[in-house]
Amino acid sequence: MKKNSDYSATVEQVEKMLLKIENPDTPVPEVEKLIAQARAKLQEARDWLRAEKDKL
């Protein structure tokens, strides 16, 4: 993740994943997959934010 726009896009993607996760019609295997993907994206975003903070 290198730019603020990437961060915003990541947040948008995670929000869409959450909508699917919270939908009771979403099959459990898909929910598990989405949770893993969301966690990975959130960790990437945290790492990027820490790196930007350290630059200040």
Side-chain angles (χ1 to χ4, degrees):
M1 183 169 296
K2 296 181 182 178
K3 299 185 242 172
N4 191 28
S5 62
D6 290 343
Y7 178 80
S8 297
T10 298
V11 170
E12 186 177 329
Q13 289 173 349
V14 170
E15 287 173 347
K16 287 179 182 178
M17 288 178 184
L18 287 172
L19 289 174
K20 288 182 182 179
I21 290 167
E22 292 172 347
N23 183 346
D25 294 332
T26 305
V28 172
E30 186 176 346
V31 168
E32 291 171 341
K33 178 181 163 188
L34 288 168
I35 289 172
Q37 290 174 349
R39 283 185 177 152
K41 288 187 175 291
L42 290 172
Q43 185 61 51
E44 185 179 307
R46 274 190 220 105
D47 293 344
W48 178 79
L49 285 171
R50 280 194 194 112
E52 289 300 306
K53 179 184 170 192
D54 289 345
K55 290 179 187 177
L56 297 176

